[in-house]
Amino acid sequence: MRGLGEPEVDRDELLAALTAIAPRVLPHAGPVWRLLDDARSRGQRILFEGAQGAMLDVDHGTYPFVTSSNTLAGQAAAGSGIAPGAVGYVLGITKAYTTRVGSGPFPTELNDAIGEKLGERGREFGVVTGRKRRCGWFDAVAVRQAIKTGGINGIALTKLDVLDGFDEVKFCTAYRRGGEIYDYVPAGMTAQAALEPVYETAEGWRESTRGARSWADLPATAIKYIVRLEELIGAPVALLSTSPEREDTVLVRDPFAD
C-alpha cells in the first residue's frame, strides 16, 4: 500500500472490526463438504447456482474480458467440496437472444435499431452496475461451447417474448475470420476481436408469446425457432420463460425430478 501511495492498513483497527463481527459470522461457518455429504446421504436435494456467464470463466472464457474465478458448472464441486460425481442435472440459462455487459468480443452485437429494440424490450441493464447491456442475435456457437464445457444437460430459455413482432430472426451458426470458418470461440484475444458472424435466418412471428405457459400457447414459428435452436446448441430446452413473471413458464422437464 505504501508503494502505491495509499494509506497502510492499521492492524489494531482491522482486528477490532473483525472481532466485532465474528460472533455474527462464526455460527454460520463450518466444514461445508461434510454438511453437503450428510445432506446427500439423507436424500436431500442440493441446488448450486452460478452468478456469472460461462464465457466469463477465467480459464475457458473470453480472456482477458472475464471475471476472476471459474464460472463453469464444475466449479460447484471444486468450490464446495462435494464430489464431482455427485453433481447431477446441470441446467444452463440463456436468453433467446444474446447480451453482454462491458467490453469484450461480441460477434453478433447489433449497433442498430434492432439492437436498441432488444435492449428496451428486455430491459437490458446490469443488475449490479446498472450498465446498459450490449444486445445481438442468438450466438449458437458460444452457447454450444458453454454446454460442452459446462456439462449442461438442458437449458432454460428466457425472454422469448422479446423476439415477438420481428419479421425475421437470426442465429449465429459459425464465425468467419478472413478465409477461415470457426465452429467454436478461439482462445486468442486478437482472433476473437476479428470474428464475424455467419448467420442463419428464420421466419419471425407477429403473435405475442408473452405469458404463454404451454406449447399450445406458442405460435408455430416460435416453436420452429426453439426446435432449431436446440439442434444448433446440441441440448434440449428444459424450460421456457415468456415474461418476467415466475408463473409464465413452459416446463418441459423438471430439473429437480429424480
mmCIF file with all atom_site columns, all heavy atoms in Angstrom, residues 212-224:
data_model
loop_
_atom_site.group_PDB
_atom_site.id
_atom_site.type_symbol
_atom_site.label_atom_id
_atom_site.label_alt_id
_atom_site.label_comp_id
_atom_site.label_asym_id
_atom_site.label_entity_id
_atom_site.label_seq_id
_atom_site.pdbx_PDB_ins_code
_atom_site.Cartn_x
_atom_site.Cartn_y
_atom_site.Cartn_z
_atom_site.occupancy
_atom_site.B_iso_or_equiv
_atom_site.pdbx_formal_charge
_atom_site.auth_seq_id
_atom_site.auth_comp_id
_atom_site.auth_asym_id
_atom_site.auth_atom_id
_atom_site.pdbx_PDB_model_num
ATOM 1  N N   . ALA A 1 212 ? -47.216 -17.002 -22.195 1.00 0.00 ? 212 ALA A N   1
ATOM 2  C CA  . ALA A 1 212 ? -47.520 -18.384 -22.595 1.00 0.00 ? 212 ALA A CA  1
ATOM 3  C C   . ALA A 1 212 ? -47.026 -19.363 -21.538 1.00 0.00 ? 212 ALA A C   1
ATOM 4  O O   . ALA A 1 212 ? -45.941 -19.198 -20.976 1.00 0.00 ? 212 ALA A O   1
ATOM 5  C CB  . ALA A 1 212 ? -46.886 -18.692 -23.942 1.00 0.00 ? 212 ALA A CB  1
ATOM 6  N N   . ARG A 1 213 ? -47.844 -20.384 -21.267 1.00 0.00 ? 213 ARG A N   1
ATOM 7  C CA  . ARG A 1 213 ? -47.489 -21.377 -20.250 1.00 0.00 ? 213 ARG A CA  1
ATOM 8  C C   . ARG A 1 213 ? -47.555 -22.803 -20.755 1.00 0.00 ? 213 ARG A C   1
ATOM 9  O O   . ARG A 1 213 ? -47.429 -23.749 -19.991 1.00 0.00 ? 213 ARG A O   1
ATOM 10 C CB  . ARG A 1 213 ? -48.397 -21.212 -19.027 1.00 0.00 ? 213 ARG A CB  1
ATOM 11 C CG  . ARG A 1 213 ? -48.288 -19.849 -18.380 1.00 0.00 ? 213 ARG A CG  1
ATOM 12 C CD  . ARG A 1 213 ? -49.134 -19.713 -17.129 1.00 0.00 ? 213 ARG A CD  1
ATOM 13 N NE  . ARG A 1 213 ? -49.042 -18.365 -16.566 1.00 0.00 ? 213 ARG A NE  1
ATOM 14 C CZ  . ARG A 1 213 ? -49.674 -17.967 -15.465 1.00 0.00 ? 213 ARG A CZ  1
ATOM 15 N NH1 . ARG A 1 213 ? -50.444 -18.839 -14.802 1.00 0.00 ? 213 ARG A NH1 1
ATOM 16 N NH2 . ARG A 1 213 ? -49.537 -16.730 -15.027 1.00 0.00 ? 213 ARG A NH2 1
ATOM 17 N N   . SER A 1 214 ? -47.759 -22.967 -22.056 1.00 0.00 ? 214 SER A N   1
ATOM 18 C CA  . SER A 1 214 ? -47.755 -24.300 -22.669 1.00 0.00 ? 214 SER A CA  1
ATOM 19 C C   . SER A 1 214 ? -47.359 -24.159 -24.127 1.00 0.00 ? 214 SER A C   1
ATOM 20 O O   . SER A 1 214 ? -47.434 -23.071 -24.709 1.00 0.00 ? 214 SER A O   1
ATOM 21 C CB  . SER A 1 214 ? -49.136 -24.958 -22.560 1.00 0.00 ? 214 SER A CB  1
ATOM 22 O OG  . SER A 1 214 ? -50.065 -24.313 -23.427 1.00 0.00 ? 214 SER A OG  1
ATOM 23 N N   . TRP A 1 215 ? -46.941 -25.283 -24.734 1.00 0.00 ? 215 TRP A N   1
ATOM 24 C CA  . TRP A 1 215 ? -46.573 -25.256 -26.145 1.00 0.00 ? 215 TRP A CA  1
ATOM 25 C C   . TRP A 1 215 ? -47.747 -24.816 -27.005 1.00 0.00 ? 215 TRP A C   1
ATOM 26 O O   . TRP A 1 215 ? -47.560 -24.159 -28.036 1.00 0.00 ? 215 TRP A O   1
ATOM 27 C CB  . TRP A 1 215 ? -46.094 -26.631 -26.586 1.00 0.00 ? 215 TRP A CB  1
ATOM 28 C CG  . TRP A 1 215 ? -44.749 -27.026 -26.064 1.00 0.00 ? 215 TRP A CG  1
ATOM 29 C CD1 . TRP A 1 215 ? -44.477 -28.018 -25.165 1.00 0.00 ? 215 TRP A CD1 1
ATOM 30 C CD2 . TRP A 1 215 ? -43.483 -26.435 -26.381 1.00 0.00 ? 215 TRP A CD2 1
ATOM 31 N NE1 . TRP A 1 215 ? -43.132 -28.078 -24.907 1.00 0.00 ? 215 TRP A NE1 1
ATOM 32 C CE2 . TRP A 1 215 ? -42.487 -27.128 -25.637 1.00 0.00 ? 215 TRP A CE2 1
ATOM 33 C CE3 . TRP A 1 215 ? -43.093 -25.393 -27.226 1.00 0.00 ? 215 TRP A CE3 1
ATOM 34 C CZ2 . TRP A 1 215 ? -41.142 -26.801 -25.730 1.00 0.00 ? 215 TRP A CZ2 1
ATOM 35 C CZ3 . TRP A 1 215 ? -41.743 -25.079 -27.305 1.00 0.00 ? 215 TRP A CZ3 1
ATOM 36 C CH2 . TRP A 1 215 ? -40.793 -25.763 -26.571 1.00 0.00 ? 215 TRP A CH2 1
ATOM 37 N N   . ALA A 1 216 ? -48.946 -25.166 -26.573 1.00 0.00 ? 216 ALA A N   1
ATOM 38 C CA  . ALA A 1 216 ? -50.140 -24.831 -27.357 1.00 0.00 ? 216 ALA A CA  1
ATOM 39 C C   . ALA A 1 216 ? -50.360 -23.328 -27.429 1.00 0.00 ? 216 ALA A C   1
ATOM 40 O O   . ALA A 1 216 ? -51.047 -22.839 -28.334 1.00 0.00 ? 216 ALA A O   1
ATOM 41 C CB  . ALA A 1 216 ? -51.364 -25.512 -26.750 1.00 0.00 ? 216 ALA A CB  1
ATOM 42 N N   . ASP A 1 217 ? -49.793 -22.589 -26.485 1.00 0.00 ? 217 ASP A N   1
ATOM 43 C CA  . ASP A 1 217 ? -49.954 -21.132 -26.467 1.00 0.00 ? 217 ASP A CA  1
ATOM 44 C C   . ASP A 1 217 ? -48.968 -20.416 -27.384 1.00 0.00 ? 217 ASP A C   1
ATOM 45 O O   . ASP A 1 217 ? -49.075 -19.199 -27.573 1.00 0.00 ? 217 ASP A O   1
ATOM 46 C CB  . ASP A 1 217 ? -49.757 -20.589 -25.044 1.00 0.00 ? 217 ASP A CB  1
ATOM 47 C CG  . ASP A 1 217 ? -50.811 -21.103 -24.076 1.00 0.00 ? 217 ASP A CG  1
ATOM 48 O OD1 . ASP A 1 217 ? -51.937 -21.398 -24.531 1.00 0.00 ? 217 ASP A OD1 1
ATOM 49 O OD2 . ASP A 1 217 ? -50.506 -21.209 -22.871 1.00 0.00 ? 217 ASP A OD2 1
ATOM 50 N N   . LEU A 1 218 ? -48.015 -21.151 -27.960 1.00 0.00 ? 218 LEU A N   1
ATOM 51 C CA  . LEU A 1 218 ? -46.956 -20.529 -28.751 1.00 0.00 ? 218 LEU A CA  1
ATOM 52 C C   . LEU A 1 218 ? -47.269 -20.579 -30.247 1.00 0.00 ? 218 LEU A C   1
ATOM 53 O O   . LEU A 1 218 ? -47.834 -21.566 -30.739 1.00 0.00 ? 218 LEU A O   1
ATOM 54 C CB  . LEU A 1 218 ? -45.629 -21.251 -28.512 1.00 0.00 ? 218 LEU A CB  1
ATOM 55 C CG  . LEU A 1 218 ? -45.063 -21.205 -27.089 1.00 0.00 ? 218 LEU A CG  1
ATOM 56 C CD1 . LEU A 1 218 ? -43.817 -22.085 -27.001 1.00 0.00 ? 218 LEU A CD1 1
ATOM 57 C CD2 . LEU A 1 218 ? -44.737 -19.779 -26.678 1.00 0.00 ? 218 LEU A CD2 1
ATOM 58 N N   . PRO A 1 219 ? -46.911 -19.548 -30.989 1.00 0.00 ? 219 PRO A N   1
ATOM 59 C CA  . PRO A 1 219 ? -47.057 -19.586 -32.451 1.00 0.00 ? 219 PRO A CA  1
ATOM 60 C C   . PRO A 1 219 ? -46.176 -20.686 -33.043 1.00 0.00 ? 219 PRO A C   1
ATOM 61 O O   . PRO A 1 219 ? -45.118 -21.013 -32.498 1.00 0.00 ? 219 PRO A O   1
ATOM 62 C CB  . PRO A 1 219 ? -46.559 -18.197 -32.889 1.00 0.00 ? 219 PRO A CB  1
ATOM 63 C CG  . PRO A 1 219 ? -46.601 -17.349 -31.665 1.00 0.00 ? 219 PRO A CG  1
ATOM 64 C CD  . PRO A 1 219 ? -46.370 -18.261 -30.506 1.00 0.00 ? 219 PRO A CD  1
ATOM 65 N N   . ALA A 1 220 ? -46.602 -21.222 -34.163 1.00 0.00 ? 220 ALA A N   1
ATOM 66 C CA  . ALA A 1 220 ? -45.855 -22.310 -34.795 1.00 0.00 ? 220 ALA A CA  1
ATOM 67 C C   . ALA A 1 220 ? -44.441 -21.892 -35.152 1.00 0.00 ? 220 ALA A C   1
ATOM 68 O O   . ALA A 1 220 ? -43.490 -22.674 -35.003 1.00 0.00 ? 220 ALA A O   1
ATOM 69 C CB  . ALA A 1 220 ? -46.596 -22.788 -36.046 1.00 0.00 ? 220 ALA A CB  1
ATOM 70 N N   . THR A 1 221 ? -44.273 -20.641 -35.605 1.00 0.00 ? 221 THR A N   1
ATOM 71 C CA  . THR A 1 221 ? -42.937 -20.189 -35.987 1.00 0.00 ? 221 THR A CA  1
ATOM 72 C C   . THR A 1 221 ? -42.035 -20.021 -34.760 1.00 0.00 ? 221 THR A C   1
ATOM 73 O O   . THR A 1 221 ? -40.810 -20.201 -34.861 1.00 0.00 ? 221 THR A O   1
ATOM 74 C CB  . THR A 1 221 ? -43.013 -18.859 -36.758 1.00 0.00 ? 221 THR A CB  1
ATOM 75 O OG1 . THR A 1 221 ? -43.923 -17.967 -36.094 1.00 0.00 ? 221 THR A OG1 1
ATOM 76 C CG2 . THR A 1 221 ? -43.479 -19.096 -38.184 1.00 0.00 ? 221 THR A CG2 1
ATOM 77 N N   . ALA A 1 222 ? -42.609 -19.686 -33.626 1.00 0.00 ? 222 ALA A N   1
ATOM 78 C CA  . ALA A 1 222 ? -41.810 -19.594 -32.397 1.00 0.00 ? 222 ALA A CA  1
ATOM 79 C C   . ALA A 1 222 ? -41.327 -20.978 -31.977 1.00 0.00 ? 222 ALA A C   1
ATOM 80 O O   . ALA A 1 222 ? -40.186 -21.145 -31.520 1.00 0.00 ? 222 ALA A O   1
ATOM 81 C CB  . ALA A 1 222 ? -42.628 -18.953 -31.282 1.00 0.00 ? 222 ALA A CB  1
ATOM 82 N N   . ILE A 1 223 ? -42.189 -21.969 -32.143 1.00 0.00 ? 223 ILE A N   1
ATOM 83 C CA  . ILE A 1 223 ? -41.794 -23.351 -31.822 1.00 0.00 ? 223 ILE A CA  1
ATOM 84 C C   . ILE A 1 223 ? -40.684 -23.808 -32.765 1.00 0.00 ? 223 ILE A C   1
ATOM 85 O O   . ILE A 1 223 ? -39.725 -24.468 -32.350 1.00 0.00 ? 223 ILE A O   1
ATOM 86 C CB  . ILE A 1 223 ? -43.014 -24.287 -31.910 1.00 0.00 ? 223 ILE A CB  1
ATOM 87 C CG1 . ILE A 1 223 ? -44.023 -23.926 -30.803 1.00 0.00 ? 223 ILE A CG1 1
ATOM 88 C CG2 . ILE A 1 223 ? -42.575 -25.750 -31.779 1.00 0.00 ? 223 ILE A CG2 1
ATOM 89 C CD1 . ILE A 1 223 ? -45.308 -24.721 -30.858 1.00 0.00 ? 223 ILE A CD1 1
ATOM 90 N N   . LYS A 1 224 ? -40.793 -23.446 -34.047 1.00 0.00 ? 224 LYS A N   1
ATOM 91 C CA  . LYS A 1 224 ? -39.741 -23.788 -35.006 1.00 0.00 ? 224 LYS A CA  1
ATOM 92 C C   . LYS A 1 224 ? -38.417 -23.157 -34.599 1.00 0.00 ? 224 LYS A C   1
ATOM 93 O O   . LYS A 1 224 ? -37.352 -23.765 -34.728 1.00 0.00 ? 224 LYS A O   1
ATOM 94 C CB  . LYS A 1 224 ? -40.136 -23.313 -36.411 1.00 0.00 ? 224 LYS A CB  1
ATOM 95 C CG  . LYS A 1 224 ? -41.242 -24.126 -37.061 1.00 0.00 ? 224 LYS A CG  1
ATOM 96 C CD  . LYS A 1 224 ? -41.535 -23.603 -38.466 1.00 0.00 ? 224 LYS A CD  1
ATOM 97 C CE  . LYS A 1 224 ? -42.640 -24.389 -39.134 1.00 0.00 ? 224 LYS A CE  1
ATOM 98 N NZ  . LYS A 1 224 ? -42.945 -23.844 -40.495 1.00 0.00 ? 224 LYS A NZ  1
#
